[in-house]
Amino acid sequence: LALLGTIEPTELIDPTVGAERLLYRLFHEHGVRVFRSVPVDYQCSCSREKIHGILQGFSAEEIKDSTEEGGIHVACEFCSTQYDFDPAEFVVE
């Protein structure tokens, strides 16, 4: 953190200061390796099946505690998809 604190805000936006150069300046004594960049996609991996699988691992008490207005409602914090489940699907007998 001490080394990162030495970065000037202008270095972060200066097109002549590439990532490799900045990393070398900060960490050359520790060795620097820069890997190929990977494109980042705005893509969520949530699904009804995944959420259902997680809920199946809940105890009967946790299912009861998770039930509101007669259902279990799960919202993905990444993509905002709402999943609604019937608590009866998870009753352990």
Side-chain angles (χ1 to χ4, degrees):
L1 289 175
L3 292 173
L4 291 174
T6 66
I7 298 173
E8 296 293 325
T10 55
E11 289 179 288
L12 296 174
I13 59 172
D14 186 344
T16 64
V17 180
E20 293 86 359
R21 181 175 169 191
L22 186 57
L23 287 171
Y24 183 79
R25 181 179 76 72
L26 292 172
F27 303 108
H28 68 279
E29 294 176 2
H30 303 288
V32 175
R33 289 190 314 178
V34 178
F35 297 96
R36 281 187 310 134
S37 63
V38 177
V40 178
D41 291 331
Y42 179 80
Q43 180 176 329
C44 187
S45 62
C46 76
S47 70
R48 182 171 183 77
E49 293 76 24
K50 285 183 181 181
I51 303 298
H52 189 276
I54 292 168
L55 292 172
Q56 279 189 308
F58 281 25
S59 68
E61 184 68 26
E62 290 170 321
I63 291 295
K64 181 182 171 191
D65 291 344
S66 300
T67 302
E68 294 180 354
E69 299 177 7
I72 298 174
H73 312 288
V74 179
C76 175
E77 296 293 329
F78 184 79
C79 69
S80 300
T81 300
Q82 178 78 28
Y83 297 99
D84 299 311
F85 297 93
D86 181 353
E89 295 179 54
F90 309 102
V91 173
V92 179
E93 298 192 26

Coordinates of all heavy atoms in Angstrom, one line a residue:
L1 N 0.8 -1.2 0.0 CA 0.0 0.0 0.0 C 0.9 1.3 0.0 O 0.5 2.3 -0.6 CB -0.9 0.0 1.2 CG -2.1 -1.0 1.1 CD1 -2.9 -1.0 2.4 CD2 -3.0 -0.8 0.0
A2 N 2.0 1.2 0.7 CA 2.9 2.3 0.7 C 3.4 2.7 -0.7 O 3.4 3.8 -1.1 CB 4.1 2.1 1.6
L3 N 3.7 1.6 -1.5 CA 4.2 1.9 -2.8 C 3.1 2.4 -3.7 O 3.3 3.4 -4.5 CB 4.7 0.6 -3.5 CG 6.0 0.1 -2.9 CD1 6.4 -1.3 -3.4 CD2 7.2 1.1 -3.1
L4 N 1.9 1.9 -3.6 CA 0.7 2.4 -4.4 C 0.4 3.8 -4.0 O -0.1 4.6 -4.8 CB -0.5 1.5 -4.2 CG -0.4 0.1 -4.8 CD1 -1.6 -0.8 -4.4 CD2 -0.2 0.1 -6.3
G5 N 0.6 4.2 -2.8 CA 0.4 5.6 -2.3 C 1.3 6.6 -3.0 O 1.0 7.8 -2.9
T6 N 2.3 6.1 -3.7 CA 3.3 7.1 -4.4 C 2.8 7.4 -5.8 O 3.4 8.2 -6.4 CB 4.7 6.5 -4.4 OG1 4.7 5.3 -5.3 CG2 5.2 6.1 -3.0
I7 N 1.8 6.8 -6.2 CA 1.3 7.0 -7.6 C 0.6 8.4 -7.6 O -0.3 8.7 -6.8 CB 0.3 6.0 -8.1 CG1 1.0 4.6 -8.1 CG2 -0.3 6.3 -9.4 CD1 0.0 3.5 -8.4
E8 N 0.9 9.2 -8.6 CA 0.3 10.5 -8.8 C -1.0 10.3 -9.6 O -1.0 9.5 -10.5 CB 1.2 11.5 -9.5 CG 2.5 11.8 -8.7 CD 2.2 12.6 -7.5 OE1 1.2 13.4 -7.5 OE2 2.9 12.4 -6.4
P9 N -2.0 11.0 -9.3 CA -3.3 10.8 -10.1 C -3.0 11.0 -11.6 O -3.6 10.3 -12.4 CB -4.2 11.9 -9.6 CG -3.7 12.1 -8.2 CD -2.2 11.9 -8.2
T10 N -2.1 11.9 -12.0 CA -1.9 12.1 -13.4 C -1.2 10.9 -14.1 O -1.4 10.7 -15.3 CB -0.9 13.3 -13.6 OG1 0.2 13.2 -12.8 CG2 -1.6 14.6 -13.2
E11 N -0.5 10.1 -13.3 CA 0.1 8.9 -13.9 C -1.0 7.9 -14.3 O -0.8 7.1 -15.2 CB 1.0 8.2 -12.9 CG 2.3 9.0 -12.6 CD 3.2 8.3 -11.6 OE1 2.8 8.3 -10.4 OE2 4.2 7.7 -12.0
L12 N -2.1 7.9 -13.6 CA -3.1 6.9 -13.9 C -3.9 7.2 -15.2 O -4.4 6.3 -15.8 CB -4.1 6.8 -12.7 CG -3.5 6.3 -11.4 CD1 -4.5 6.4 -10.3 CD2 -3.0 4.8 -11.6
I13 N -3.9 8.5 -15.6 CA -4.6 8.9 -16.8 C -3.7 9.3 -17.9 O -4.1 9.5 -19.0 CB -5.6 10.0 -16.5 CG1 -4.9 11.2 -15.9 CG2 -6.7 9.5 -15.6 CD1 -5.8 12.4 -15.8
D14 N -2.4 9.3 -17.7 CA -1.4 9.7 -18.7 C -1.2 8.6 -19.7 O -0.8 7.5 -19.3 CB -0.1 10.1 -18.0 CG 1.0 10.6 -19.0 OD1 0.8 10.5 -20.2 OD2 2.0 11.2 -18.5
P15 N -1.5 8.8 -21.0 CA -1.4 7.7 -22.0 C 0.1 7.3 -22.2 O 0.3 6.2 -22.7 CB -2.0 8.3 -23.2 CG -2.0 9.8 -23.0 CD -2.1 10.0 -21.5
T16 N 1.0 8.1 -21.8 CA 2.4 7.8 -22.0 C 3.0 6.9 -20.9 O 4.1 6.4 -21.0 CB 3.3 9.0 -22.2 OG1 3.3 9.8 -20.9 CG2 2.8 9.9 -23.3
V17 N 2.2 6.8 -19.8 CA 2.6 5.9 -18.7 C 1.8 4.6 -18.8 O 0.7 4.5 -18.3 CB 2.4 6.6 -17.4 CG1 2.9 5.7 -16.2 CG2 3.2 7.9 -17.3
G18 N 2.4 3.6 -19.5 CA 1.7 2.4 -19.6 C 1.7 1.6 -18.4 O 2.4 1.8 -17.4
A19 N 0.9 0.5 -18.3 CA 0.8 -0.3 -17.1 C 2.1 -1.0 -16.8 O 2.5 -1.0 -15.6 CB -0.3 -1.4 -17.4
E20 N 2.8 -1.4 -17.8 CA 4.1 -2.1 -17.6 C 5.1 -1.1 -16.9 O 5.8 -1.4 -16.0 CB 4.7 -2.6 -18.9 CG 3.9 -3.8 -19.5 CD 2.8 -3.3 -20.4 OE1 2.6 -2.1 -20.5 OE2 2.1 -4.2 -20.9
R21 N 5.1 0.1 -17.5 CA 6.1 1.1 -16.9 C 5.7 1.5 -15.5 O 6.6 1.6 -14.6 CB 6.0 2.4 -17.8 CG 6.9 3.5 -17.4 CD 6.9 4.6 -18.4 NE 7.6 5.7 -17.9 CZ 7.6 6.9 -18.4 NH1 6.9 7.1 -19.5 NH2 8.2 7.9 -17.9
L22 N 4.4 1.6 -15.2 CA 4.0 2.0 -13.9 C 4.3 0.9 -12.9 O 4.8 1.1 -11.8 CB 2.5 2.3 -13.9 CG 2.0 2.9 -12.6 CD1 2.7 4.1 -12.1 CD2 0.5 3.1 -12.7
L23 N 4.0 -0.4 -13.3 CA 4.3 -1.5 -12.4 C 5.8 -1.7 -12.2 O 6.2 -2.0 -11.1 CB 3.7 -2.8 -13.1 CG 2.2 -2.9 -13.0 CD1 1.7 -4.1 -13.8 CD2 1.7 -3.0 -11.6
Y24 N 6.6 -1.5 -13.2 CA 8.0 -1.6 -13.1 C 8.5 -0.5 -12.1 O 9.3 -0.8 -11.2 CB 8.8 -1.4 -14.4 CG 10.2 -1.6 -14.3 CD1 10.8 -2.9 -14.1 CD2 11.1 -0.5 -14.2 CE1 12.2 -3.1 -14.0 CE2 12.5 -0.7 -14.0 CZ 13.0 -2.0 -13.9 OH 14.3 -2.1 -13.7
R25 N 8.0 0.7 -12.2 CA 8.4 1.8 -11.3 C 8.1 1.4 -9.9 O 8.9 1.7 -9.0 CB 7.8 3.1 -11.7 CG 8.2 4.2 -10.7 CD 7.6 5.6 -11.1 NE 6.2 5.8 -10.7 CZ 5.8 5.9 -9.4 NH1 6.6 5.8 -8.4 NH2 4.5 6.2 -9.2
L26 N 7.0 0.8 -9.6 CA 6.6 0.5 -8.3 C 7.2 -0.7 -7.7 O 7.6 -0.8 -6.5 CB 5.0 0.4 -8.2 CG 4.2 1.6 -8.5 CD1 2.7 1.2 -8.6 CD2 4.4 2.6 -7.4
F27 N 7.3 -1.8 -8.5 CA 7.7 -3.1 -8.0 C 8.9 -3.7 -8.6 O 9.1 -4.9 -8.5 CB 6.5 -4.0 -8.2 CG 5.2 -3.5 -7.5 CD1 4.2 -3.1 -8.3 CD2 5.1 -3.5 -6.1 CE1 3.0 -2.6 -7.7 CE2 3.9 -3.1 -5.6 CZ 2.9 -2.6 -6.4
H28 N 9.8 -2.9 -9.2 CA 11.0 -3.5 -9.9 C 11.9 -4.3 -9.0 O 12.5 -5.3 -9.4 CB 11.8 -2.5 -10.7 CG 12.5 -1.5 -9.8 ND1 11.8 -0.4 -9.3 CD2 13.7 -1.4 -9.4 CE1 12.7 0.3 -8.5 NE2 13.8 -0.3 -8.6
E29 N 11.9 -4.0 -7.7 CA 12.8 -4.7 -6.8 C 12.2 -6.1 -6.4 O 12.9 -7.0 -6.0 CB 13.0 -3.9 -5.5 CG 13.8 -2.6 -5.8 CD 13.9 -1.8 -4.5 OE1 13.4 -2.2 -3.5 OE2 14.5 -0.7 -4.7
H30 N 10.9 -6.3 -6.6 CA 10.2 -7.5 -6.3 C 10.0 -8.4 -7.5 O 9.5 -9.5 -7.4 CB 8.9 -7.2 -5.6 CG 9.0 -6.4 -4.4 ND1 9.6 -6.8 -3.2 CD2 8.7 -5.1 -4.2 CE1 9.6 -5.8 -2.3 NE2 9.1 -4.7 -2.9
G31 N 10.3 -7.9 -8.7 CA 10.0 -8.6 -9.9 C 8.6 -8.3 -10.4 O 7.7 -8.3 -9.6
V32 N 8.5 -8.1 -11.7 CA 7.2 -7.7 -12.3 C 6.9 -8.6 -13.4 O 7.8 -8.9 -14.3 CB 7.3 -6.2 -12.8 CG1 6.0 -5.9 -13.5 CG2 7.5 -5.3 -11.6
R33 N 5.7 -9.1 -13.5 CA 5.2 -9.9 -14.6 C 3.9 -9.3 -15.0 O 3.0 -9.1 -14.2 CB 5.0 -11.4 -14.3 CG 6.3 -12.1 -14.1 CD 6.1 -13.6 -14.0 NE 5.0 -13.9 -13.2 CZ 4.6 -15.2 -12.9 NH1 5.2 -16.2 -13.5 NH2 3.6 -15.4 -12.1
V34 N 3.7 -9.0 -16.3 CA 2.5 -8.5 -16.8 C 1.9 -9.5 -17.8 O 2.6 -10.0 -18.7 CB 2.7 -7.1 -17.5 CG1 1.4 -6.6 -18.1 CG2 3.3 -6.1 -16.6
F35 N 0.7 -10.0 -17.5 CA 0.0 -11.0 -18.3 C -0.8 -10.3 -19.4 O -1.1 -9.1 -19.3 CB -0.9 -11.8 -17.5 CG -0.1 -12.6 -16.4 CD1 0.0 -12.2 -15.1 CD2 0.5 -13.8 -16.8 CE1 0.7 -12.9 -14.2 CE2 1.2 -14.5 -15.8 CZ 1.3 -14.1 -14.5
R36 N -1.1 -11.1 -20.5 CA -1.9 -10.5 -21.6 C -3.3 -10.1 -21.0 O -3.8 -10.7 -20.1 CB -2.2 -11.6 -22.6 CG -1.1 -11.8 -23.6 CD -1.4 -12.7 -24.7 NE -2.1 -14.0 -24.2 CZ -3.2 -14.5 -24.7 NH1 -3.8 -14.0 -25.7 NH2 -3.6 -15.6 -24.2
S37 N -3.8 -9.0 -21.6 CA -5.1 -8.5 -21.1 C -6.2 -9.5 -21.6 O -6.0 -10.2 -22.6 CB -5.3 -7.1 -21.6 OG -5.4 -7.1 -23.0
V38 N -7.3 -9.5 -20.9 CA -8.4 -10.3 -21.2 C -9.6 -9.3 -21.2 O -9.8 -8.5 -20.3 CB -8.6 -11.4 -20.1 CG1 -9.9 -12.2 -20.4 CG2 -7.4 -12.3 -20.0
P39 N -10.4 -9.4 -22.3 CA -11.6 -8.5 -22.3 C -12.6 -8.8 -21.2 O -12.7 -10.0 -20.8 CB -12.2 -8.8 -23.7 CG -11.6 -10.1 -24.2 CD -10.3 -10.3 -23.4
V40 N -13.2 -7.8 -20.7 CA -14.1 -8.0 -19.6 C -15.5 -7.7 -20.2 O -15.8 -6.8 -20.9 CB -13.9 -6.9 -18.5 CG1 -14.9 -7.0 -17.4 CG2 -12.5 -7.1 -17.9
D41 N -16.4 -8.7 -19.9 CA -17.8 -8.6 -20.4 C -18.7 -8.3 -19.2 O -18.5 -8.8 -18.1 CB -18.2 -9.9 -21.1 CG -17.5 -10.2 -22.4 OD1 -17.1 -9.2 -23.0 OD2 -17.3 -11.3 -22.7
Y42 N -19.7 -7.6 -19.5 CA -20.8 -7.4 -18.6 C -21.8 -8.5 -18.8 O -22.6 -8.5 -19.6 CB -21.5 -6.0 -18.8 CG -22.7 -5.8 -17.9 CD1 -22.4 -5.3 -16.6 CD2 -24.0 -6.1 -18.2 CE1 -23.4 -5.1 -15.7 CE2 -25.0 -5.8 -17.3 CZ -24.7 -5.4 -16.1 OH -25.8 -5.2 -15.2
Q43 N -21.5 -9.6 -18.0 CA -22.3 -10.8 -18.2 C -22.4 -11.5 -16.8 O -21.4 -11.7 -16.1 CB -21.6 -11.7 -19.1 CG -22.3 -13.0 -19.4 CD -21.5 -13.8 -20.4 OE1 -20.9 -13.3 -21.3 NE2 -21.6 -15.1 -20.3
C44 N -23.6 -11.8 -16.4 CA -23.9 -12.5 -15.2 C -24.0 -14.0 -15.4 O -24.6 -14.4 -16.4 CB -25.2 -11.9 -14.5 SG -25.4 -12.5 -12.9
S45 N -23.6 -14.7 -14.4 CA -23.6 -16.2 -14.5 C -24.7 -16.8 -13.6 O -24.8 -18.0 -13.4 CB -22.3 -16.8 -14.2 OG -22.0 -16.5 -12.8
C46 N -25.6 -15.9 -13.1 CA -26.7 -16.5 -12.3 C -27.7 -17.2 -13.1 O -27.8 -16.9 -14.3 CB -27.3 -15.4 -11.4 SG -28.5 -14.3 -12.3
S47 N -28.4 -18.1 -12.5 CA -29.5 -18.8 -13.1 C -30.5 -19.3 -12.1 O -30.1 -19.4 -10.9 CB -29.0 -20.0 -14.0 OG -28.6 -21.0 -13.1
R48 N -31.7 -19.6 -12.5 CA -32.7 -20.1 -11.5 C -32.2 -21.4 -10.9 O -32.3 -21.7 -9.8 CB -34.0 -20.3 -12.3 CG -35.1 -20.8 -11.3 CD -36.5 -20.8 -12.0 NE -37.5 -21.2 -11.1 CZ -38.0 -20.5 -10.1 NH1 -37.6 -19.3 -10.0 NH2 -38.9 -21.0 -9.3
E49 N -31.6 -22.2 -11.8 CA -31.1 -23.5 -11.3 C -30.0 -23.4 -10.2 O -29.9 -24.1 -9.3 CB -30.5 -24.4 -12.5 CG -31.6 -24.8 -13.5 CD -32.1 -23.7 -14.4 OE1 -31.3 -22.7 -14.6 OE2 -33.2 -23.7 -14.9
K50 N -29.1 -22.4 -10.4 CA -28.0 -22.2 -9.5 C -28.6 -21.7 -8.1 O -28.2 -22.2 -7.1 CB -27.0 -21.2 -10.0 CG -26.1 -21.7 -11.0 CD -25.1 -20.7 -11.4 CE -24.1 -21.2 -12.5 NZ -23.1 -20.2 -12.9
I51 N -29.5 -20.8 -8.2 CA -30.1 -20.3 -6.9 C -30.9 -21.4 -6.3 O -30.8 -21.6 -5.0 CB -31.0 -19.1 -7.2 CG1 -30.3 -18.0 -7.9 CG2 -31.7 -18.6 -5.9 CD1 -29.1 -17.4 -7.2
H52 N -31.6 -22.2 -7.0 CA -32.4 -23.3 -6.5 C -31.4 -24.3 -5.8 O -31.7 -24.8 -4.7 CB -33.1 -24.1 -7.6 CG -34.1 -25.1 -7.1 ND1 -33.7 -26.4 -6.8 CD2 -35.4 -25.0 -6.8 CE1 -34.8 -27.0 -6.4 NE2 -35.8 -26.2 -6.4
G53 N -30.3 -24.6 -6.4 CA -29.3 -25.5 -5.8 C -28.8 -24.9 -4.4 O -28.6 -25.7 -3.5
I54 N -28.6 -23.7 -4.4 CA -28.1 -23.0 -3.1 C -29.2 -23.2 -2.0 O -28.9 -23.6 -0.9 CB -27.8 -21.6 -3.3 CG1 -26.5 -21.5 -4.2 CG2 -27.6 -20.8 -2.0 CD1 -26.2 -20.1 -4.7
L55 N -30.5 -22.9 -2.4 CA -31.6 -23.0 -1.5 C -31.8 -24.4 -1.0 O -32.2 -24.6 0.2 CB -32.8 -22.4 -2.1 CG -32.8 -20.9 -2.3 CD1 -34.1 -20.5 -3.1 CD2 -32.7 -20.1 -1.0
Q56 N -31.5 -25.4 -1.8 CA -31.6 -26.8 -1.4 C -30.7 -27.1 -0.3 O -31.0 -28.0 0.5 CB -31.4 -27.7 -2.6 CG -32.6 -27.8 -3.5 CD -32.4 -28.9 -4.5 OE1 -31.4 -29.0 -5.2 NE2 -33.4 -29.8 -4.6
G57 N -29.6 -26.4 -0.1 CA -28.7 -26.6 1.0 C -29.1 -26.0 2.3 O -28.5 -26.2 3.3
F58 N -30.2 -25.2 2.2 CA -30.7 -24.6 3.5 C -31.4 -25.6 4.3 O -32.1 -26.5 3.9 CB -31.7 -23.4 3.1 CG -31.0 -22.2 2.7 CD1 -29.7 -22.1 2.1 CD2 -31.7 -21.0 2.8 CE1 -29.2 -20.9 1.7 CE2 -31.1 -19.8 2.4 CZ -29.8 -19.8 1.8
S59 N -31.3 -25.4 5.6 CA -32.1 -26.2 6.6 C -33.5 -25.7 6.5 O -33.9 -24.6 6.0 CB -31.5 -26.0 8.0 OG -31.8 -24.7 8.5
A60 N -34.4 -26.5 7.1 CA -35.9 -26.2 7.2 C -36.0 -24.8 7.9 O -36.9 -24.0 7.5 CB -36.6 -27.3 7.9
E61 N -35.3 -24.6 8.9 CA -35.3 -23.3 9.7 C -34.9 -22.2 8.8 O -35.5 -21.1 8.8 CB -34.5 -23.4 11.0 CG -34.6 -22.2 11.9 CD -35.9 -22.0 12.5 OE1 -36.6 -23.0 12.7 OE2 -36.3 -20.9 12.8
E62 N -33.8 -22.3 8.0 CA -33.4 -21.3 7.2 C -34.4 -21.0 6.1 O -34.6 -19.8 5.7 CB -32.0 -21.6 6.5 CG -30.9 -21.6 7.6 CD -29.6 -22.2 7.0 OE1 -29.7 -23.2 6.3 OE2 -28.5 -21.7 7.4
I63 N -35.0 -22.0 5.6 CA -36.1 -21.8 4.5 C -37.2 -21.0 5.2 O -37.7 -20.1 4.6 CB -36.6 -23.2 4.0 CG1 -35.5 -23.8 3.1 CG2 -37.9 -23.0 3.2 CD1 -35.1 -23.1 1.9
K64 N -37.6 -21.4 6.4 CA -38.7 -20.7 7.1 C -38.3 -19.2 7.3 O -39.1 -18.3 7.0 CB -39.0 -21.3 8.4 CG -40.1 -20.7 9.2 CD -40.3 -21.4 10.5 CE -41.2 -20.6 11.4 NZ -41.2 -21.1 12.8
D65 N -37.1 -19.0 7.7 CA -36.6 -17.6 7.9 C -36.5 -16.8 6.6 O -36.5 -15.6 6.6 CB -35.2 -17.6 8.6 CG -35.3 -18.1 10.1 OD1 -36.4 -18.1 10.6 OD2 -34.3 -18.5 10.6
S66 N -36.3 -17.5 5.5 CA -36.1 -16.8 4.2 C -37.4 -16.5 3.5 O -37.5 -15.8 2.5 CB -35.3 -17.7 3.3 OG -34.0 -17.9 3.8
T67 N -38.5 -17.0 4.1 CA -39.8 -16.9 3.5 C -40.5 -15.6 3.9 O -40.6 -15.2 5.0 CB -40.8 -18.1 3.9 OG1 -40.1 -19.3 3.4 CG2 -42.1 -17.9 3.2
E68 N -40.9 -14.8 2.9 CA -41.6 -13.5 3.1 C -42.8 -13.5 2.1 O -42.7 -13.8 0.9 CB -40.7 -12.3 2.7 CG -39.5 -12.2 3.7 CD -38.6 -11.0 3.4 OE1 -38.9 -10.3 2.3 OE2 -37.7 -10.7 4.1
E69 N -43.9 -13.1 2.7 CA -45.2 -13.0 1.9 C -45.4 -14.3 1.1 O -45.8 -14.3 -0.1 CB -45.1 -11.8 0.9 CG -44.9 -10.5 1.7 CD -44.8 -9.3 0.7 OE1 -45.0 -9.5 -0.5 OE2 -44.5 -8.2 1.2
G70 N -45.2 -15.4 1.8 CA -45.5 -16.7 1.2 C -44.5 -17.3 0.2 O -44.7 -18.3 -0.4
G71 N -43.4 -16.6 0.0 CA -42.4 -17.1 -1.0 C -41.0 -16.7 -0.6 O -40.8 -15.9 0.3
I72 N -40.1 -17.3 -1.4 CA -38.7 -16.9 -1.2 C -38.3 -16.1 -2.4 O -38.4 -16.5 -3.5 CB -37.8 -18.2 -1.1 CG1 -38.2 -19.0 0.2 CG2 -36.3 -17.8 -1.0 CD1 -37.5 -20.3 0.3
H73 N -37.8 -14.9 -2.2 CA -37.5 -13.9 -3.2 C -36.0 -13.6 -3.2 O -35.5 -13.2 -2.2 CB -38.3 -12.7 -3.1 CG -39.8 -12.9 -2.8 ND1 -40.6 -13.4 -3.8 CD2 -40.5 -12.8 -1.7 CE1 -41.8 -13.6 -3.3 NE2 -41.8 -13.2 -2.0
V74 N -35.3 -13.9 -4.3 CA -33.9 -13.7 -4.4 C -33.6 -12.8 -5.6 O -34.1 -13.0 -6.7 CB -33.2 -15.1 -4.6 CG1 -31.7 -14.8 -4.7 CG2 -33.5 -16.1 -3.5
A75 N -32.9 -11.7 -5.3 CA -32.5 -10.8 -6.3 C -31.0 -10.9 -6.5 O -30.2 -10.8 -5.6 CB -32.9 -9.4 -6.0
C76 N -30.6 -11.0 -7.8 CA -29.1 -11.0 -8.1 C -28.6 -9.6 -8.0 O -29.2 -8.7 -8.6 CB -28.9 -11.6 -9.5 SG -27.2 -11.5 -10.0
E77 N -27.6 -9.4 -7.2 CA -27.0 -8.1 -7.0 C -26.3 -7.6 -8.2 O -26.0 -6.4 -8.3 CB -26.1 -8.1 -5.7 CG -26.9 -8.3 -4.5 CD -27.9 -7.3 -4.1 OE1 -27.6 -6.1 -4.4 OE2 -28.9 -7.6 -3.5
F78 N -25.9 -8.5 -9.1 CA -25.1 -8.1 -10.3 C -26.0 -7.6 -11.4 O -25.9 -6.6 -12.0 CB -24.2 -9.2 -10.7 CG -23.3 -8.9 -11.9 CD1 -22.2 -8.2 -11.7 CD2 -23.6 -9.2 -13.2 CE1 -21.3 -7.8 -12.7 CE2 -22.8 -8.9 -14.2 CZ -21.7 -8.2 -14.0
C79 N -27.0 -8.5 -11.8 CA -27.9 -8.2 -13.0 C -29.3 -7.8 -12.6 O -30.1 -7.5 -13.5 CB -27.9 -9.4 -13.9 SG -28.8 -10.8 -13.3
S80 N -29.6 -7.8 -11.3 CA -30.9 -7.4 -10.8 C -32.1 -8.3 -11.2 O -33.2 -8.0 -11.1 CB -31.3 -6.0 -11.2 OG -30.3 -5.1 -10.7
T81 N -31.8 -9.5 -11.6 CA -32.8 -10.5 -12.0 C -33.4 -11.0 -10.7 O -32.8 -11.3 -9.7 CB -32.2 -11.7 -12.7 OG1 -31.7 -11.2 -13.9 CG2 -33.3 -12.7 -13.1
Q82 N -34.8 -11.0 -10.7 CA -35.5 -11.5 -9.5 C -35.9 -12.9 -9.7 O -36.5 -13.3 -10.7 CB -36.8 -10.6 -9.3 CG -37.7 -11.0 -8.1 CD -37.1 -10.5 -6.8 OE1 -36.4 -9.5 -6.7 NE2 -37.4 -11.3 -5.8
Y83 N -35.7 -13.8 -8.7 CA -36.1 -15.2 -8.7 C -37.0 -15.4 -7.6 O -36.7 -15.0 -6.4 CB -34.9 -16.1 -8.6 CG -33.9 -16.0 -9.7 CD1 -32.7 -15.2 -9.5 CD2 -34.1 -16.6 -10.9 CE1 -31.8 -15.1 -10.6 CE2 -33.2 -16.5 -11.9 CZ -32.0 -15.7 -11.8 OH -31.1 -15.6 -12.8
D84 N -38.2 -16.0 -7.8 CA -39.2 -16.3 -6.8 C -39.4 -17.8 -6.7 O -39.5 -18.5 -7.8 CB -40.5 -15.6 -7.2 CG -40.4 -14.1 -7.3 OD1 -39.8 -13.5 -6.3 OD2 -40.8 -13.5 -8.3
F85 N -39.4 -18.3 -5.5 CA -39.5 -19.7 -5.3 C -40.6 -20.0 -4.3 O -40.9 -19.2 -3.3 CB -38.2 -20.3 -4.7 CG -37.1 -20.2 -5.6 CD1 -36.2 -19.1 -5.6 CD2 -36.8 -21.2 -6.6 CE1 -35.1 -19.0 -6.4 CE2 -35.7 -21.1 -7.4 CZ -34.9 -20.0 -7.4
D86 N -41.3 -21.1 -4.4 CA -42.3 -21.6 -3.5 C -41.5 -22.4 -2.3 O -40.8 -23.3 -2.7 CB -43.2 -22.5 -4.1 CG -44.3 -23.1 -3.2 OD1 -44.2 -22.8 -2.0 OD2 -45.2 -23.7 -3.7
P87 N -41.6 -22.0 -1.1 CA -40.9 -22.7 0.0 C -41.2 -24.2 0.1 O -40.3 -24.9 0.5 CB -41.4 -22.0 1.3 CG -41.9 -20.7 0.8 CD -42.4 -20.9 -0.6
A88 N -42.3 -24.6 -0.4 CA -42.7 -26.0 -0.4 C -41.7 -26.8 -1.3 O -41.6 -28.0 -1.1 CB -44.1 -26.2 -0.9
E89 N -41.0 -26.2 -2.2 CA -40.0 -26.9 -3.0 C -38.8 -27.4 -2.2 O -38.1 -28.3 -2.6 CB -39.5 -26.0 -4.1 CG -40.4 -25.5 -5.1 CD -39.7 -24.6 -6.1 OE1 -38.7 -25.0 -6.7 OE2 -40.2 -23.4 -6.3
F90 N -38.7 -26.9 -1.0 CA -37.5 -27.1 -0.2 C -37.8 -27.8 1.1 O -36.9 -27.9 2.0 CB -36.7 -25.8 0.0 CG -36.4 -25.1 -1.3 CD1 -37.2 -24.0 -1.6 CD2 -35.5 -25.5 -2.1 CE1 -37.0 -23.3 -2.8 CE2 -35.2 -24.8 -3.3 CZ -36.0 -23.7 -3.6
V91 N -39.0 -28.3 1.3 CA -39.4 -28.9 2.5 C -38.6 -30.3 2.6 O -38.6 -31.1 1.7 CB -40.9 -29.2 2.6 CG1 -41.2 -30.0 3.8 CG2 -41.6 -27.9 2.6
V92 N -37.9 -30.4 3.7 CA -37.1 -31.6 4.0 C -38.0 -32.6 4.8 O -38.5 -32.2 5.9 CB -35.8 -31.3 4.7 CG1 -35.0 -32.6 5.0 CG2 -35.0 -30.3 4.0
E93 N -38.2 -33.8 4.3 CA -39.0 -34.7 5.1 C -38.2 -35.8 5.6 O -37.2 -36.2 5.3 CB -40.1 -35.3 4.1 CG -41.0 -34.1 3.7 CD -42.2 -34.6 3.0 OE1 -42.7 -35.8 3.3 OE2 -42.7 -33.9 2.2

